Amino acid sequence: MFRKLVLSACLIGVVLGMAMTAMQSAGVTPLLLAAERHEVSATPHAAAVPHHGHSHAGQAGHHHDDSAWAPADGAERLGYTAVSNTLAGIGFTALLLVVMNQLRERGRLKMTAGHGLMMGGLCYLAVFVAPSLGLPPEIPGAAAAALESRQLWWLATVVLAAAGLGLLVLTRGWKRGLGLPLLLVPHAWVPAHQGPRFSHPDPQAVAALTELQHEFILASGLTNLAFWLLAGLLSILALRRLTDTAHGHDDVPG
């Protein structure tokens, strides 16, 4: 069963990676490129270096090193984005399949499309919404706190949010009461940047970047929602197929 789960995670991850790349190309990447043009105009010496480092969750940092290698814009950048999204899709799907299979074996999860979408929605809340309430997705040129502190906070928030949502949705009695505190704990301290969001000298550029920031948050939210709902649906379909196959083998006379 473990090997089949791994294979399913790889196949679903490829589908998710390609779908995510297509959605990002249509809705997210144009906003990033527009923001980078303002960023480059503020720092002319950086014009020769493409700006990257934006995770699909929208939480990656924007610290660019002129001496660092980066893929060229166009097909090369798209290819590396597709590979990154595919690897992320495989990793997230593997975790999701393991959790869903454990819940299925304990009778806590039905093999229906609705429950698959529910699990995808819970993952979306834990991995995207909960961290975004403290650290919204950022476009190039936005000021932010130290990358290391943001990464640690993001990881802690995702883990606590997943645990809190799991308690709220999957448990009963006094254990359910622990869910809300776990959701709130990370927001007691958020490594936020102090000062203006954009330091561009041109007020019109700041206004444009602010508008792009709002559009980027919305586009990232919708893209991630589609990613997780698709992940939940494909995962439940894969588990249903695996369990039906296993039951078929069990029914064959020895």
Side-chain angles (χ1 to χ4, degrees), residues 43-75:
T43 54
H45 68 279
V49 182
H51 299 291
H52 307 282
H54 309 285
S55 70
H56 88 273
Q59 301 294 344
H62 306 288
H63 303 280
H64 308 295
D65 184 356
D66 292 348
S67 63
W69 176 87
D73 289 334

Side-chain angles (χ1 to χ4, degrees), residues 115-225:
H115 279 76
L117 292 174
M118 179 194 73
M119 291 298 296
L122 290 175
C123 289
Y124 170 70
L125 293 176
V127 177
F128 182 83
V129 175
S132 295
L133 293 176
L135 294 176
E138 298 165 351
I139 59 173
L147 178 60
E148 293 77 9
S149 61
R150 285 183 290 136
Q151 288 176 330
L152 289 175
W153 184 88
W154 184 90
L155 180 60
T157 302
V158 170
V159 171
L160 291 174
L165 289 170
L167 290 173
L168 287 173
V169 176
L170 301 173
T171 63
R172 299 181 179 87
W174 66 269
K175 292 182 180 179
R176 178 174 290 183
L178 299 176
L180 185 58
L182 288 177
L183 291 173
L184 297 177
V185 164
H187 298 278
W189 177 81
V190 180
H193 170 74
Q194 302 297 326
R197 173 67 67 179
F198 301 104
S199 58
H200 199 289
D202 185 357
Q204 292 184 347
V206 172
L209 287 169
T210 301
E211 180 65 25
L212 287 170
Q213 173 78 12
H214 295 157
E215 294 179 9
F216 181 63
I217 293 174
L218 177 60
S220 298
L222 294 176
T223 301
N224 277 271
L225 176 61

